[in-house]
Amino acid sequence: MFPPSIFPSHESGSIGRPQPSITPWCSVPSNSIISVEHPFIFQDVPKALATLGGHRMVEKLVREEHTGREAFLSLHPHDRMSKPVASINVSTNNVLLRLTVPKRTGRKRKRGSTESYSNMNDMQEARSLFQDTANESSQYVSPRKIKSVKSLLRTLRDNVDKYTMRPMGLIEQTHRFRDLPDFVYSTSSNAFVQKVRDHILPFDYQKSKAFSFDMSKGPKSMTGLIPPPMFTHHTLPFNYAYRQNPSVKEMVDSSGRVVMANTATLKKVWTQRVAFDVKAVPYGPMDGIPPIETLDPQLQGIAQKLQDCMKDRPIWTRRALNNQYNTHMWKTMSRHVYQHVGYMFRSGPWREALVKYGVDPRTDPKYRIYQTMTFQFGSRGKEYTEKATRGGRRVRREYGSSGSIHGSTHIFDGANVSTDGKVWQVCDITDPLLQNVLATTDLRQECHIKVDGWYHNGTWAKARCITKLKMGKILSHQGQPNNADYWRLVALPDVYSQDTKHMFQSDRANTSPQEMEWVGQVRAMAGLPEGLVTAQDGGHEGTDVDTEHADARVTSSLQAYSHYEQEALGSEGELSIENGGDEEGPSSASEEDSGDEEDVDEGSGHDDELL
């Protein structure tokens, strides 16, 4: 029965006694109706049935033995290569109603008047339209297609008490198409697929007999490929969850227009960066940079401190500057003041160092102590170490250095390494062995602006290699480096050329495999990209090779080795090697400084060394 409209009344004094019905009772027939929610708006019923597989497939849906099966919707019913979309069969409890309303005559008159109706009614126009459509096509066309939703709703409003309602049956199943259709590959220009469609897909025996393959040999032009049965397995639409960026706000610009601005955009840093071979270095900030007097008071204070630092030392690494004023405000805001005090080289011997405006380190050998070395720490830069606390609880901490004192992370003393940056300057290296190598007076007459600076290629390669080996040993927790292990590298000549090439060849009988590998690394670092040349060809920038002087440096290095060996000998005459360093391991790297030190080398002769 539909709808149940009798409810128990609690006001009549007889609880539970049914009261007279407000609406009449309607009997629902036992007809089982299946509903198909078609995604198309169609006007041709046969074409709509063709998208569902035709009358034969629709009949299978309504049979009791096929209850629960899926319906398939084909967007291209005449293309067998088009994959149909499967429906979702949902159990429902709906009723199909049939509403009958009086036909509209189409006659019109002014509302509220008693004049007679006039004008030709709309139904005559509708009938003529239906007749024309029926004549054009022999297929069945529903006359209801001329009825618009607007006209139907108007009819219901005009006939509130005159329409009739009759239940047609219970809808127990509803087919809904919610999956995404698959891609369709066009085979209209594929001769082979057209041949298969004409002879095989109709499932006709006579047509199938006429199908044959091309058995000719050799390559064939315009050979078509059969598309795959499925292009994608995603049947549900992906929820991208698009939303407005909360940092984008509406603002009014100087001209009064409303514009969209991103309030989270970082302020651009305008530090001048020049190439290693620039002809003239900058003597002041770029045009358009606001004067220091117009900056915030905090930035003005930082700029004054940077200028004081530049008076004491004309070239600094950013990490060394941060360690001078080790505050969070300094680390986060100082980068926005660099453009007021100095510039930087993108590559070369003074790469990633802040140079005072007007100072060109390529013009005077005294600036060699500010040359920089760059090292990449790789996976050994940060390690996890566990340390037992007093209560026995084990705390896991992350370390990125070994025993560095806070505020001196830019200094390398040969025993401690900090990984809050990757750039070191010669003046910040206090290791005695490296100081002995870099304190040489045998310098170039002209600066090698690409790689070595004022040092010879052999000197600079030895210093870089020994520094890399020592840092790698410290970060690997293999104990403190022993200076006696590097005597063979120190003994190498300061100049690597065709005339001294034989001095970079190790004697296999008296050289360990590790030392041979180290010498090879020095040889690779000292080798110029254009190859080895002789002194007469200008390979040493005007410095002649003195073989006797090179032999004397070898003898001096052997004497130094003996001195290091005596220092390393224990009380019992055996060579002692220290263990480990600090148990806690290296301290964590600073995100602010490490982020600044990650610029890309553009044109440097040697890449960053990976420890």
Side-chain angles (χ1 to χ4, degrees):
M1 305 296 291
F2 179 87
S5 305
I6 299 179
F7 301 93
S9 175
H10 301 281
E11 301 177 355
S12 59
S14 178
I15 300 177
R17 178 178 295 179
Q19 299 298 318
S21 175
I22 299 176
T23 58
W25 285 71
C26 297
S27 299
V28 180
S30 59
N31 299 330
S32 180
I33 301 175
I34 295 179
S35 173
V36 177
E37 296 181 0
H38 205 287
F40 294 169
I41 299 176
F42 56 87
Q43 297 179 348
D44 195 328
V45 175
K47 290 183 178 180
L49 295 177
T51 60
L52 298 175
H55 290 277
R56 184 173 59 88
M57 298 301 298
V58 174
E59 289 177 358
K60 289 184 177 180
L61 291 177
V62 299
R63 294 179 183 175
E64 295 182 359
E65 60 269 16
H66 295 288
T67 302
R69 66 174 297 163
E70 298 175 337
F72 293 94
L73 174 67
S74 178
L75 304 182
H76 300 274
H78 302 292
D79 187 3
R80 294 292 185 91
M81 299 295 177
S82 175
K83 181 183 177 182
V85 181
S87 68
I88 301 177
N89 194 352
V90 182
S91 298
T92 56
N93 190 23
N94 301 330
V95 176
L96 178 63
L97 300 178
R98 180 175 182 176
L99 299 177
T100 304
V101 296
K103 293 183 180 181
R104 298 188 64 186
T105 61
R107 296 180 300 170
K108 299 179 180 179
R109 69 178 179 183
K110 190 175 182 180
R111 183 172 298 177
S113 65
T114 58
E115 299 177 359
S116 60
Y117 292 97
S118 62
N119 296 333
M120 183 178 180
N121 57 43
D122 295 337
M123 186 54 66
Q124 293 178 353
E125 297 180 358
R127 290 174 180 174
S128 61
L129 177 63
F130 172 68
Q131 292 176 358
D132 295 340
T133 307
N135 294 333
E136 293 177 0
S137 175
S138 59
Q139 296 180 352
Y140 170 76
V141 181
S142 174
R144 293 186 179 87
K145 74 174 185 176
I146 62 176
K147 291 288 187 180
S148 63
V149 177
K150 182 178 179 181
S151 62
L152 292 176
L153 294 177
R154 175 63 182 275
T155 304
L156 290 175
R157 288 194 298 266
D158 294 343
N159 301 275
V160 177
D161 300 328
K162 298 179 181 180
Y163 70 89
T164 60
M165 178 189 67
R166 183 163 62 94
M168 302 300 296
L170 184 65
I171 303 177
E172 298 179 347
Q173 296 182 22
T174 300
H175 291 270
R176 298 169 181 171
F177 298 96
R178 297 293 186 266
D179 295 345
L180 291 176
D182 197 4
F183 297 98
V184 179
Y185 182 83
S186 177
T187 58
S188 58
S189 60
N190 194 323
F192 179 76
V193 176
Q194 293 293 339
K195 188 176 180 180
V196 172
R197 181 182 287 108
D198 297 338
H199 295 82
I200 304 300
L201 296 183
F203 297 102
D204 184 84
Y205 177 71
Q206 297 299 330
K207 292 183 179 180
S208 301
K209 290 175 60 178
F211 177 81
S212 62
F213 290 96
D214 186 4
M215 305 301 294
S216 61
K217 299 181 179 180
K220 303 174 180 62
S221 60
M222 300 299 293
T223 301
L225 299 177
I226 300 177
M230 180 177 62
F231 284 94
T232 177
H233 61 277
H234 295 285
T235 58
L236 296 178
F238 182 77
N239 183 16
Y240 290 93
Y242 289 114
R243 63 183 181 88
Q244 177 64 40
N245 186 354
S247 301
V248 177
K249 307 291 184 182
E250 289 187 356
M251 296 184 177
V252 180
D253 60 4
S254 57
S255 61
R257 298 180 304 173
V258 178
V259 296
M260 304 296 292
N262 191 347
T263 57
T265 303
L266 297 177
K267 188 177 180 180
K268 189 173 182 179
V269 179
W270 296 97
T271 306
Q272 294 191 64
R273 294 178 179 271
V274 298
F276 67 91
D277 56 350
V278 65
K279 293 182 179 180
V281 298
Y283 280 81
M286 296 184 298
D287 296 337
I289 299 297
I292 298 179
E293 295 77 14
T294 61
L295 300 178
D296 297 337
Q298 293 179 343
L299 293 179
Q300 292 184 21
I302 294 176
Q304 183 61 41
K305 293 179 180 179
L306 284 175
Q307 290 176 348
D308 295 340
C309 292
M310 287 299 178
K311 294 178 182 178
D312 300 334
R313 174 173 161 180
I315 304 176
W316 292 78
T317 60
R318 286 170 288 189
R319 181 169 50 160
L321 288 173
N322 290 339
N323 288 334
Q324 301 303 311
Y325 306 95
N326 194 7
T327 60
H328 179 72
M329 183 185 69
W330 176 275
K331 291 183 179 180
T332 55
M333 301 181 65
S334 60
R335 67 185 68 182
H336 300 288
V337 193
Y338 290 154
Q339 63 267 22
H340 294 280
V341 296
Y343 67 97
M344 291 184 178
F345 284 97
R346 291 194 183 98
S347 58
W350 293 272
R351 170 190 172 187
E352 296 304 323
L354 186 64
V355 186
K356 183 180 179 181
Y357 280 129
V359 175
D360 190 352
R362 304 169 299 177
T363 60
D364 197 325
K366 68 179 181 180
Y367 296 115
R368 68 184 184 278
I369 63 175
Y370 303 117
Q371 291 184 206
T372 59
M373 301 180 186
T374 306
F375 301 97
Q376 296 281 4
F377 295 102
S379 60
R380 290 185 290 181
K382 292 183 179 180
E383 298 180 2
Y384 288 99
T385 307
E386 289 186 353
K387 178 184 177 182
T389 59
R390 178 176 298 180
R393 179 185 177 187
R394 304 196 66 84
V395 181
R396 191 173 85 159
R397 298 180 179 178
E398 183 180 356
Y399 300 102
S401 62
S402 177
S404 297
I405 301 176
H406 193 64
S408 61
T409 59
H410 62 288
I411 296 176
F412 177 61
D413 58 359
N416 305 303
V417 183
S418 178
T419 59
D420 60 346
K422 65 177 184 178
V423 182
W424 277 264
Q425 286 183 283
V426 173
C427 60
D428 294 330
I429 296 178
T430 61
D431 178 63
L433 180 62
L434 292 173
Q435 283 185 334
N436 180 45
V437 174
L438 295 171
T440 178
T441 58
D442 186 11
L443 304 176
R444 292 176 180 266
Q445 295 182 0
E446 294 182 6
C447 179
H448 188 272
I449 62 175
K450 190 173 184 180
V451 180
D452 302 323
W454 290 103
Y455 293 100
H456 287 297
N457 55 355
T459 305
W460 193 239
K462 290 188 296 182
R464 292 175 60 196
C465 184
I466 295 175
T467 306
K468 183 190 72 170
L469 294 174
K470 284 194 170 187
M471 289 183 176
K473 187 172 184 179
I474 295 172
L475 294 176
S476 300
H477 303 287
Q478 298 177 3
Q480 291 295 332
N482 187 3
N483 290 334
D485 296 339
Y486 310 102
W487 73 269
R488 193 174 295 276
L489 300 183
V490 178
L492 295 176
D494 290 338
V495 179
Y496 178 45
S497 66
Q498 191 68 31
D499 298 332
T500 60
K501 180 180 179 180
H502 65 282
M503 299 183 183
F504 287 81
Q505 303 293 335
S506 302
D507 185 7
R508 296 181 180 270
N510 301 322
T511 307
S512 64
Q514 187 180 52
E515 291 177 337
M516 293 180 62
E517 180 183 355
W518 292 353
V519 173
Q521 293 181 16
V522 175
R523 191 165 57 246
M525 292 181 184
L528 298 179
E530 57 270 19
L532 296 177
V533 294
T534 61
Q536 291 76 7
D537 297 332
H540 312 302
E541 303 292 332
T543 303
D544 296 332
V545 178
D546 188 355
T547 307
E548 295 181 359
H549 178 69
D551 294 339
R553 286 194 57 81
V554 174
T555 304
S556 176
S557 299
L558 291 175
Q559 294 175 357
Y561 164 69
S562 301
H563 174 70
Y564 296 142
E565 184 179 17
Q566 292 297 329
E567 291 182 349
L569 290 176
S571 59
E572 298 181 359
E574 296 182 355
L575 187 64
S576 62
I577 301 178
E578 298 180 2
N579 295 327
D582 192 1
E583 295 180 357
E584 293 187 2
S587 59
S588 60
S590 171
E591 295 182 0
E592 292 81 9
D593 197 9
S594 62
D596 288 342
E597 302 286 357
E598 292 296 331
D599 296 316
V600 179
D601 183 6
E602 299 180 5
S604 177
H606 293 286
D607 297 331
D608 298 343
E609 299 299 335
L610 181 63
L611 301 183

